[in-house]
Amino acid sequence: MAFESAKDSLIALPMDQAMESPEKYNYVIIENQVSPLGFIQNKTDNKESNGRQTAQNFANSEGSLFTIKNEIKSGDFGMLVNQAFLSQYKIEPFTKVQRETTPEIKEILEKKI
């Protein structure tokens, strides 16, 4: 998923295939913020695309294009959901904490590689 730099629209980037029924996703959760979405269209990448999933390549990327209806102040990643999801689950606020990975965790991760 990539956000337009003004954070008023997003594109759900395809992984192995295009998103099935993108119109069923009518909300996005970005950090502690929930906003209604409007599905616009599925679009293909164009010849200007550099293949990167960044705001600078937003207009050139392939994917499902949505408008974000509420102002989003921060966040780079979102989760697309529907009303049933919001009715079933409570969105828990969180505080972003940046810490260095502990040596114990690094060792476990290195063994998995």
Side-chain angles (χ1 to χ4, degrees), residues 49-83:
S49 178
N50 61 17
R52 305 216 36 207
Q53 298 176 354
T54 62
Q56 293 76 23
N57 195 45
F58 184 89
N60 306 315
S61 295
E62 175 182 9
S64 299
L65 184 62
F66 296 86
T67 59
I68 301 173
K69 298 186 177 180
N70 293 348
E71 180 181 0
I72 299 297
K73 297 184 188 304
S74 65
D76 295 321
F77 300 97
M79 183 170 82
L80 302 178
V81 298
N82 59 22
Q83 182 60 56

Side-chain angles (χ1 to χ4, degrees), residues 5-97:
S5 58
K7 296 193 189 297
D8 61 2
S9 54
L10 66 86
I11 191 161
L13 303 164
M15 298 315 245
D16 294 328
Q17 61 189 37
M19 178 186 288
E20 190 174 308
S21 305
E23 63 280 354
K24 74 180 179 182
Y25 299 100
N26 44 14
Y27 290 91
V28 64
I29 302 169
I30 304 167
E31 289 189 1
N32 296 322
Q33 307 157 98
V34 177
S35 175
L37 288 177
F39 172 67
I40 300 172
Q41 68 179 10
N42 287 317
K43 63 188 223 59
T44 58
D45 61 350
N46 62 39
K47 64 183 179 188
E48 302 298 319
S49 178
N50 61 17
R52 305 216 36 207
Q53 298 176 354
T54 62
Q56 293 76 23
N57 195 45
F58 184 89
N60 306 315
S61 295
E62 175 182 9
S64 299
L65 184 62
F66 296 86
T67 59
I68 301 173
K69 298 186 177 180
N70 293 348
E71 180 181 0
I72 299 297
K73 297 184 188 304
S74 65
D76 295 321
F77 300 97
M79 183 170 82
L80 302 178
V81 298
N82 59 22
Q83 182 60 56
F85 182 93
L86 291 178
S87 298
Q88 185 173 357
Y89 299 100
K90 180 181 178 194
I91 308 304
E92 296 288 340
F94 66 91
T95 303
K96 192 186 295 188
V97 176

